[in-house]
Amino acid sequence: PATDKVANLAFGTRWQQSAGLKVTQLVHDFSFKASQLENSFKQKVSQLDKQQLEYELTYEVAKTYLGILLLQDQQKTASTDTARTYNSFQLQDARFKEGKLLRSDWNKALLNHNNSVQAYEDYQFQINEQKAYLSYLMGVGADKSYSSLILEPVPDSLLITQQTESATSTIPLF
C-alpha cells in the first residue's frame, strides 16, 4: 500500500562497511631521476636540431644569393652577346639584301641572334625564380615583391685576385 511515510534505507550491512586510512612514503624513486635525465637529453637534442636547421638555412641563403649574383653576371654576358649577334645580323642582312650572302647564312645569323635573345630571357627567368626562393628563405612577406630585391656584388674584401701570365681571375672565398 502507498503511504506518505519516509522509510530509511540502509546501504550495506553493518558487518560489510569499513573505513580506513593508508599512508605511504616514497623512500627513493628511480623513475623520477631517469625522467629528469631523459628530459635533459631531449633538450640538448632539440638545441642541436635547432642549430643544425639554422646552419642549413644560412647555407641555403648564401648559396641562393651567390647563385643570383652569378646569374646576373651571366645575364650581363648574354646581354653583350645579344648586342654582338644583333650587329652581326645587321651586317649579314645588309649583305643578303645586296645579294652577296646565301639565304642559309642569313638564317644562321638570325638563328644565332634569336638563341642569344632566348639565353638572355632564360637568365632573367632564372634570376626571378631565385629571387622568389631567396625571399621565401628570408621570410619576406608575400605582399612584398621579390623583384625589388637589390643584390649587391660580393665585396672586394672577400675576393682574392690572382695574377697569371694570360689573364687576371677573381676567386670568391666561399
Side-chain angles (χ1 to χ4, degrees):
T3 63
D4 291 340
K5 294 185 179 181
V6 177
N8 291 330
L9 294 175
F11 293 100
T13 58
R14 281 185 284 177
W15 61 86
Q16 287 181 338
Q17 293 178 357
S18 67
L21 179 63
K22 181 179 179 183
V23 177
T24 59
Q25 181 177 356
L26 184 62
V27 175
H28 191 66
D29 187 4
F30 292 105
S31 64
F32 179 72
K33 188 82 164 168
S35 68
Q36 277 185 329
L37 190 60
E38 182 181 353
N39 285 340
S40 70
F41 284 141
K42 283 182 181 179
Q43 187 178 14
K44 287 179 184 177
V45 167
S46 176
Q47 277 181 326
L48 291 174
D49 283 346
K50 182 181 175 188
Q51 268 185 334
Q52 179 67 25
L53 289 174
E54 287 174 354
Y55 289 141
E56 287 175 6
L57 179 62
T58 303
Y59 170 76
E60 196 63 30
V61 166
K63 186 176 83 169
T64 304
Y65 175 79
L66 290 174
I68 291 171
L69 292 178
L70 178 65
L71 285 169
Q72 287 176 338
D73 191 48
Q74 290 173 336
Q75 186 183 31
K76 285 179 189 175
T77 303
S79 175
T80 305
D81 191 46
T82 301
R84 183 191 55 78
T85 58
Y86 178 75
N87 289 338
S88 175
F89 174 72
Q90 292 295 342
L91 292 172
Q92 299 293 354
D93 190 47
R95 289 183 63 207
F96 177 71
K97 287 179 181 175
E98 293 173 358
K100 296 180 181 179
L101 187 70
L102 295 175
R103 178 80 171 182
S104 62
D105 292 334
W106 183 85
N107 284 338
K108 286 179 188 176
L110 180 62
L111 181 65
N112 284 341
H113 176 66
N114 287 340
N115 287 341
S116 180
V117 169
Q118 185 61 47
Y120 177 84
E121 291 172 355
D122 288 345
Y123 285 125
Q124 184 60 50
F125 176 77
Q126 290 175 15
I127 287 169
N128 289 341
E129 195 174 54
Q130 290 299 309
K131 281 185 177 182
Y133 183 56
L134 183 62
S135 296
Y136 165 74
L137 289 174
M138 293 172 52
V140 175
D143 56 335
K144 295 184 180 177
S145 174
Y146 61 85
S147 60
S148 65
L149 281 177
I150 298 172
L151 300 178
E152 297 296 326
V154 177
D156 290 337
S157 61
L158 297 177
L159 300 175
I160 297 175
T161 304
Q162 291 182 338
Q163 292 286 342
T164 60
E165 293 176 9
S166 60
T168 302
S169 61
T170 304
I171 304 167
L173 289 175
F174 295 102

